[in-house]
Amino acid sequence: MKFQAEINVMPLKALLDPQGKAVNATLHGIGYAEVSGVRIGKHVNLEIEAPSKEAAIEKVTDICSKVLSNPVMEGFEFHLTEAKD
Amino acid sequence: MKFQAEINVMPLKALLDPQGKAVNATLHGIGYAEVSGVRIGKHVNLEIEAPSKEAAIEKVTDICSKVLSNPVMEGFEFHLTEAKD
C-alpha cells in the first residue's frame, strides 16, 4: 500500500522563532497590523510504501525524528492518507 | 473575531524541488528506499483579527500572494479556524 504523508516541522513553542518574528514585523510595517503570532516551519510531502497504515506511521515517525526535524528546536506532526494509484 | 491560519507554501508541481530531491536521495542512502516524491515547502501559522471569516480569508490570501509566496515558483493553500480566547 502506498501512503501520502503531510508533515509539518515547526519550531518549538518555547523557543523564539526569528523568521516568524521578522515576517510578523514586515507585515505590520506594510499595513497588516491585525496579524500576530507568526511562526514559520517546514512542510514536507512524501510518499511511502508500507504493508499497513501502522507500519507507515512508524516509518514516518522515524524519518521525522531522525532526518526531518531537530528535536532540540523543532517538533513535528503529520497525517497519512492512502494514495490512490 | 480572531482566526488561526495554517498556511502551506509549496514549490509548484511543474518545477524541480532541489531540497526535496536532496532529502529523497538522503533517505534512500540511509535505508528508507520505500520513500518517494519528497517535496519541501514552508508551513506558516498566524493569527488574524477580522470582522468575519470572509474578510479573514481575503486578508490571508492577500498576505500569501504578496508576502509569503513567490508566485513564479510557489503555490499556497491555507485553512482558517476561529481562535478561542
Side-chain angles (χ1 to χ4, degrees):
Chain A
M1 291 162 82
K2 201 167 204 176
F3 297 91
Q4 176 78 37
E6 300 259 340
I7 303 162
N8 291 328
V9 179
M10 297 298 288
L12 292 175
K13 287 245 173 2
L15 299 180
L16 278 176
D17 170 18
Q19 200 184 355
K21 284 256 181 302
V23 170
N24 205 118
T26 301
L27 288 172
H28 284 200
I30 61 172
Y32 295 103
E34 60 274 53
V35 172
S36 62
V38 181
R39 293 189 79 79
I40 300 184
K42 285 174 286 187
H43 183 74
V44 183
N45 289 343
L46 57 82
E47 282 168 10
I48 187 159
E49 193 67 53
S52 69
K53 188 157 189 175
E54 288 66 39
I57 288 174
E58 200 177 311
K59 281 278 182 196
V60 173
T61 305
D62 221 38
I63 288 170
C64 286
S65 55
K66 286 190 190 155
V67 183
L68 299 179
S69 76
N70 171 356
V72 177
M73 299 171 57
E74 295 169 323
F76 63 86
E77 49 166 35
F78 63 87
H79 74 264
L80 285 179
T81 47
E82 202 172 330
K84 33 193 175 306
D85 63 353
Chain B
M1 294 162 85
K2 203 166 202 175
F3 297 91
Q4 177 76 37
E6 300 260 339
I7 303 162
N8 291 327
V9 179
M10 297 297 288
L12 293 175
K13 287 246 174 359
L15 300 179
L16 278 176
D17 169 17
Q19 199 184 354
K21 286 254 180 305
V23 170
N24 205 116
T26 300
L27 288 171
H28 284 201
I30 61 173
Y32 296 103
E34 61 274 53
V35 172
S36 62
V38 181
R39 295 187 77 79
I40 300 185
K42 285 174 287 189
H43 184 73
V44 183
N45 289 343
L46 57 81
E47 281 168 9
I48 187 161
E49 193 64 54
S52 68
K53 188 156 189 175
E54 287 66 39
I57 289 174
E58 200 177 309
K59 282 279 182 196
V60 174
T61 306
D62 222 39
I63 289 170
C64 287
S65 54
K66 286 188 189 156
V67 182
L68 299 178
S69 75
N70 171 356
V72 176
M73 298 171 57
E74 295 168 323
F76 63 86
E77 50 168 33
F78 62 87
H79 74 264
L80 286 180
T81 48
E82 203 172 328
K84 35 196 173 304
D85 63 352

